[in-house]
Amino acid sequence: MQKEMTTIKLEPQRAINIYDLTLPQLTELMKSWGQPGFRAKQIYIQLYRNLAPSFEAMTDLPAALRERLTAETKLGVLQLVQEQTADDGDTRKVLWRLPDGNVVESVLMLYPDRATICISTQAGCAMGCVFCATGRMGLLRNITPGEIVEQVLYFERNLRNNGFNAAHRHDHITNLVFMGMGEPFANYDRWWTSVEQLHNPQGFNLGARNMTVSTVGLAPGIRRLSTEKIPLNLAISLHAPNDELRSALMPVNRRYPIDELMAATQEYIEKTHRRVSFEYVLLQGQNDSVELAEQLADLVKGMLCHVNLIPWNPVPGAPLQRSHRKQIESFQNVLLERGIACTVRAERGVAIAAACGQLAAVPQPA
Ligand code: SAH
Ligand code: SF4
């Protein structure tokens, strides 16, 4: 009888995504390849300042090194699957395929005075907020620092080249918000590495005050952020001023109830002296009454903060309604009358499901 053959399936060799490496890590890699110390810095500048489209284009590197980089590393792993525009080209949503078939989305919003990108920090999200399309997907996986950074570089490269030929032309990104798919503090380490990479003055050099992170309210993440050296802006998704309502809308509130969230926020303010912003999505008949506006005012009174009201953007299958304009105004007035800075967020990209909380996507085959 013939002996049965067993075939061993080897894991395909996973090449390093060069955008996953920090400058010290890149320096280590170059050292291990026997390269002089300054090579890492040269590559870093090519990646983050020149936005080189290929290793071949890094003509200040020796040809042999360019070849080795091409053979053994990857200059990015995101595959552009779809690009959609709205608002006369001033809003642009890109769907990315990750190497394992999962997907994330990013959105560029051009205004007369700024070019803002909204970036994903996870594929899907585990937090399950009832009003959010991403929450309905569940968490697919955490994404890597490189996968976060690459989303940004794509838009920067195109703005630099032709401004996407949009009406409001900019030649660089002025603002970055981590408000796409996912909860940044649930992927803290990888997300933070991406912040350091984007902020690094030797590379991309995006100012801390031009970056904003939004959290569902993971108190340990807020505390950790207050110890970080890069002073980016913090937005906190509050959405309800009492535990009963907040837990119904946001399951995370059972783990970090309002008292704990506000204590962590107050600590953050005291430590950093920075104004935080509270986000409050307005859902008709759920959290938009004048009484709740009064409760909200009492909750945040005296804090160094700003309240950002967000008219809810439709999510398929969610049994919710956006508040009426009049109700939004009344809600805002309660806060303003009590001396609390409060604005209503202008919506963008609703027609292409690119607005806040509308990002959700299905895995894509290769
Ligand atoms: N996970 C983070 C950041 C991503 S969500 C967070 O929750 O803060 C960015 C913002 O959009 C949050 O304030 C979120 O509550 C809000 N949001 C979610 N779904 C929304 C929807 N359908 N309409 C309007 N805003 C929504
Ligand atoms: Fe996740 Fe934020 Fe959506 Fe909540 S609102 S499910 S935390 S992405």
Side-chain angles (χ1 to χ4, degrees):
M1 204 177 88
Q2 205 178 346
K3 209 171 162 210
E4 203 175 312
M5 296 276 286
T6 47
T7 48
I8 300 165
K9 234 180 148 188
L10 290 172
E11 277 284 303
Q13 187 89 35
R14 276 191 135 206
I16 301 166
N17 177 3
I18 198 106
Y19 293 116
D20 276 334
L21 303 182
T22 60
L23 184 51
Q25 288 169 332
L26 195 55
T27 307
E28 273 306 301
L29 181 71
M30 285 306 106
K31 248 197 233 156
S32 73
W33 287 8
Q35 291 288 330
F38 57 86
R39 287 284 181 239
K41 182 100 176 277
Q42 271 181 307
I43 298 172
Y44 202 77
I45 287 172
Q46 284 288 4
L47 293 172
Y48 295 104
R49 268 197 219 159
N50 304 352
L51 308 181
S54 67
F55 290 118
E56 236 358 84
M58 302 182 183
T59 48
D60 54 339
L61 303 181
L65 177 58
R66 281 184 269 155
E67 274 163 33
R68 184 159 185 198
L69 283 164
T70 308
E72 296 183 32
T73 71
K74 288 199 160 176
L75 190 76
V77 295
L78 296 189
Q79 247 178 43
L80 194 151
V81 178
Q82 194 185 27
E83 189 156 4
Q84 289 170 281
T85 60
D87 307 318
D88 290 330
D90 281 340
T91 304
R92 179 172 293 262
K93 178 171 88 165
V94 173
L95 175 69
W96 302 106
R97 184 187 182 282
L98 307 173
D100 59 358
N102 281 315
V103 285
V104 293
E105 292 182 312
S106 334
V107 183
L108 171 73
M109 291 158 284
L110 301 173
Y111 301 89
D113 61 334
R114 64 192 195 281
T116 301
I117 41 165
C118 177
I119 295 300
S120 295
T121 55
Q122 293 183 304
C125 181
M127 299 297 148
C129 305
V130 299
F131 45 80
C132 172
T134 311
R136 297 174 149 245
M137 299 167 62
L139 178 65
L140 300 171
R141 79 160 160 91
N142 283 319
I143 64 174
T144 71
E147 288 165 344
I148 299 173
V149 163
E150 276 179 61
Q151 297 171 55
V152 181
L153 299 186
Y154 167 78
F155 290 105
E156 180 80 2
R157 198 175 276 129
N158 279 281
L159 287 176
R160 215 182 261 188
N161 290 343
N162 60 11
F164 290 108
N165 293 316
H168 292 120
R169 280 217 183 190
H170 291 270
D171 61 7
H172 68 283
I173 290 161
T174 61
N175 297 77
L176 188 168
V177 296
F178 292 102
M179 295 189 186
M181 294 164 81
E183 166 52 37
F185 291 174
N187 188 19
Y188 196 108
D189 291 336
R190 296 182 193 87
W191 164 70
W192 187 255
T193 301
S194 80
V195 172
E196 289 179 324
Q197 292 280 75
L198 293 166
H199 179 65
N200 192 337
Q202 302 190 74
F204 196 70
N205 198 21
L206 184 62
R209 306 312 275 156
N210 301 74
M211 292 190 254
T212 301
V213 61
S214 174
T215 178
V216 71
L218 301 184
I222 295 172
R223 292 203 169 90
R224 186 164 166 196
L225 188 69
S226 70
T227 67
E228 304 284 9
K229 295 227 162 54
I230 303 173
L232 74 173
N233 306 300
L234 173 63
I236 294 166
S237 294
L238 192 54
H239 307 321
N242 63 63
D243 281 326
E244 195 187 348
L245 181 58
R246 193 164 188 268
S247 294
L249 297 173
M250 307 167 75
V252 71
N253 192 66
R254 291 188 212 114
R255 222 178 347 145
Y256 301 110
I258 292 184
D259 270 0
E260 186 170 353
L261 172 59
M262 297 315 265
T265 306
Q266 193 53 42
E267 264 177 61
Y268 172 92
I269 294 171
E270 277 161 23
K271 223 178 210 156
T272 63
H273 307 289
R274 294 200 294 268
R275 178 185 301 268
V276 300
S277 100
F278 288 110
E279 294 158 288
Y280 195 105
V281 64
L282 283 162
L283 302 160
Q284 188 193 320
Q286 304 273 332
N287 67 351
D288 64 349
S289 69
V290 162
E291 292 71 35
L292 289 168
E294 286 164 357
Q295 271 186 35
L296 175 62
D298 288 343
L299 186 65
V300 304
K301 212 193 209 130
M303 291 177 91
L304 183 60
C305 75
H306 167 269
V307 174
N308 198 205
L309 301 175
I310 314 173
W312 182 68
N313 296 309
V315 168
L320 298 163
Q321 294 286 322
R322 151 187 296 213
S323 301
H324 294 299
R325 204 169 45 84
K326 280 249 169 291
Q327 194 60 32
I328 298 177
E329 273 170 27
S330 312
F331 198 97
Q332 184 184 22
N333 284 336
V334 170
L335 292 158
L336 293 176
E337 280 159 12
R338 284 160 179 73
I340 292 156
C342 175
T343 47
V344 180
R345 185 177 291 172
E347 66 189 14
R348 268 300 181 95
V350 174
I352 53 169
C356 293
Q358 291 188 311
L359 302 183
V362 287
Q364 297 286 318

